[in-house]
Amino acid sequence: FVVSLPLALYRIRWVILGVMAAFIALCAIQVHYLMTTPEAMNELGSPEMLRTYAKQSFVFYYHQDTHLEFGMSVWANNAWIALQGVLTGITGVYPLRILWGNATSVGMAGAIVFVYAGPWHFFRFILPHGLPELTAVFISIAAGLRVFWALLVPGPMTRFQAVGQAARGAMTAAAGCAILLAGSGVLEGFVTPSDLPDAVKITLGALMTAAVWAYILILGRRAHQAGASADV
């Protein structure tokens, strides 16, 4: 937690930011396409169905089961997605498929809610838990792609050694993602559906995300400058 994990994340920091930028771009394209192409929006359902989703189903999703049960189910699902991103990283394709699927899904939901309930209605429910949750997904995809890059460009090591080292570092990152997703699961289960002011809920998600980046940039840089190893 002091050396290996922050160092593993620090070494893929630019890849994480690249994945994040690609995700935002894909979401924006999806939202713009659906909002400017009525026939595509109509294929998702009738106006009455989409309005019901935006104003009722989208909100009810965060109030299903008890807070603990919902938070645990969200953690399990997202942790599994993150683990897939790492384990299938060597293919170079499946992590990008995860990125594409998540971006288009969020973009589709965003377009529907934007049209029938307004942008703020979307962001007030997504941002509190979505900021740290998506950060964990970005980390897992970046870690998986780093394994694929080691396969392509092994450097001074043999290809087998380079992939093995990158894969072990990726599994360390995956363990960190599981912890981060537990935190976002708490936010999604207890904070997002709560009666707290929207500003407070979003601030909590932003603070958790900022803490992750501070952890990466401060402890990770320190370990990097000390010549430490992220291998296990």
Side-chain angles (χ1 to χ4, degrees), residues 93-182:
V93 175
Y94 198 82
L96 297 179
R97 180 183 174 188
I98 294 174
L99 175 64
W100 172 268
N102 278 270
T104 54
S105 176
V106 172
M108 181 177 67
I112 296 171
V113 178
F114 280 15
V115 171
Y116 291 96
W120 179 243
H121 188 69
F122 177 76
F123 288 118
R124 66 192 286 257
F125 283 101
I126 287 293
L127 291 180
H129 64 275
L131 290 172
E133 180 179 291
L134 288 173
T135 298
V137 174
F138 300 155
I139 290 172
S140 68
I141 292 173
L145 291 176
R146 177 65 185 84
V147 178
F148 178 63
W149 182 252
L151 177 66
L152 296 180
V153 186
M157 293 183 285
T158 67
R159 205 173 303 275
F160 184 81
Q161 290 172 333
V163 169
Q165 186 179 82
R168 291 190 294 273
M171 290 307 297
T172 300
C177 286
I179 297 171
L180 176 56
L181 287 169

Side-chain angles (χ1 to χ4, degrees), residues 4-81:
S4 297
L5 177 57
L7 181 56
L9 298 177
Y10 182 79
R11 287 179 173 169
I12 59 171
R13 64 194 184 281
W14 294 114
V15 189
I16 297 171
L17 291 174
V19 170
M20 180 178 69
F23 178 89
I24 294 172
L26 289 171
C27 282
I29 292 171
Q30 176 80 328
V31 169
H32 180 267
Y33 171 71
L34 290 174
M35 292 182 67
T36 57
T37 312
E39 54 270 25
M41 182 71 81
N42 292 336
E43 290 180 0
L44 301 178
S46 66
E48 293 74 17
M49 290 174 58
L50 298 181
R51 186 175 292 107
T52 298
Y53 168 80
K55 295 187 175 181
Q56 297 180 27
S57 303
F58 180 73
V59 177
F60 178 74
Y61 171 78
Y62 299 102
H63 294 81
Q64 57 182 304
D65 301 320
T66 66
H67 296 306
L68 180 60
E69 288 172 334
F70 179 58
M72 288 294 292
S73 66
V74 166
W75 174 80
N77 178 67
N78 290 331
W80 171 238
I81 292 174

